[in-house]
Amino acid sequence: MKIICIGRNYSEHVKELGNDPNAEPVFFMKPDTALLPNRNHPVFYPDFTNNLHYEGELVFRVSRLGKFIEPQFAHLYIDSIGFGIDFTARDIQQTCAAKGLPWEIAKSFDFSAPVDGFRPLSDFPDLNNISFELKLNGVTVQTGNSRDMIFDIRRIIGHVSKYVTLKTGDLIFTGTPKGVGPVQKGDVLEGFLEGVPSIKVQIK
Ligand code: MG
């Protein structure tokens, strides 16, 4: 399986700035080794970064093989929604970006994509109105709603499947709202989907 992540998919100012209808979503991938082996496994703070950031995100699970999927049929290719944390070595990412290099290593390292709390699509009557929240040591640091995505899940699936065949079990991280920030060893992150506790991760 593969993990597909959408970059920069929320903007506070998108409405006032106007959305470019011709813009396309940016995506990158993480390997399956970015998942945690089980839900109690900690995320080890990598020794190659001094600025590990959380990014709380809605995650959609692919349920069918698909290529060139039309956006209006995209919901037929997903079966559940969970909460994921797209861990990012922000210092490495910024260094790579400044040099015009790919920032793969800032995103794809081991345990950089914990995900949990999957619930069936039928639990979410409106894909464009799903709320989520991330707490750091019990304090809310991010709140988001899928209605604020620049590219909704249908457009994401339509776009990605033009380039990459989607397979059963693939995961799509859909981008993070504002409020990203650093973690330290010992921190605990908790994600909530529509108020339901969905993931708990300890940094070690
Ligand atoms: Mg992200």
Side-chain angles (χ1 to χ4, degrees):
M1 59 81 67
K2 54 191 174 292
I3 303 165
I4 295 156
C5 305
I6 305 300
R8 294 205 58 183
N9 199 20
Y10 289 84
S11 170
E12 287 180 270
H13 303 299
V14 69
K15 289 190 181 95
E16 61 185 4
L17 293 179
N19 202 351
D20 177 359
N22 298 315
E24 294 194 321
V26 170
F27 71 90
F28 59 92
M29 290 192 234
K30 298 188 185 225
D32 60 2
T33 42
L35 299 172
L36 299 182
N38 62 66
R39 62 162 51 105
N40 297 316
H41 194 284
V43 168
F44 295 111
Y45 198 113
D47 58 9
F48 52 76
T49 178
N50 294 306
N51 198 14
L52 181 65
H53 274 206
Y54 58 79
E55 296 185 356
E57 309 196 3
L58 292 175
V59 178
F60 292 76
R61 183 184 174 275
V62 174
S63 57
R64 285 172 65 187
L65 184 79
K67 174 99 174 158
F68 298 117
I69 301 164
E70 293 292 335
Q72 67 265 35
F73 301 122
H75 61 285
L76 302 174
Y77 290 80
I78 48 180
D79 67 357
S80 51
I81 302 174
F83 196 110
I85 303 174
D86 168 19
F87 278 104
T88 305
R90 196 70 71 197
D91 46 356
I92 308 259
Q93 184 188 34
Q94 287 167 348
T95 302
C96 291
K99 292 178 182 168
L101 295 171
W103 28 264
E104 196 99 28
I105 56 169
K107 287 283 195 180
S108 60
F109 52 90
D110 289 357
F111 315 133
S112 61
V115 59
D116 203 355
F118 282 99
R119 282 149 61 196
L121 219 55
S122 55
D123 275 19
F124 304 91
D126 182 357
L127 293 183
N128 290 324
N129 185 13
I130 303 171
S131 67
F132 60 105
E133 178 179 5
L134 185 69
K135 291 184 180 183
L136 172 63
N137 301 325
V139 177
T140 299
V141 286
Q142 287 189 288
T143 56
N145 189 298
S146 59
R147 69 172 162 246
D148 298 320
M149 287 181 181
I150 298 170
F151 305 104
D152 69 11
I153 187 60
R154 292 179 177 85
R155 275 188 79 184
I156 290 170
I157 287 175
H159 178 71
V160 172
S161 71
K162 276 192 249 175
Y163 300 92
V164 180
T165 297
L166 297 179
K167 294 176 79 172
T168 302
D170 288 350
L171 299 176
I172 303 174
F173 279 59
T174 54
T176 197
K178 69 179 169 119
V180 302
V183 290
Q184 313 297 334
K185 288 179 186 177
D187 283 349
V188 175
L189 289 162
E190 293 167 286
F192 300 80
L193 270 183
E194 303 259 82
V196 177
S198 299
I199 188 171
K200 187 172 184 178
V201 172
Q202 185 174 23
I203 314 296
K204 237 175 150 176

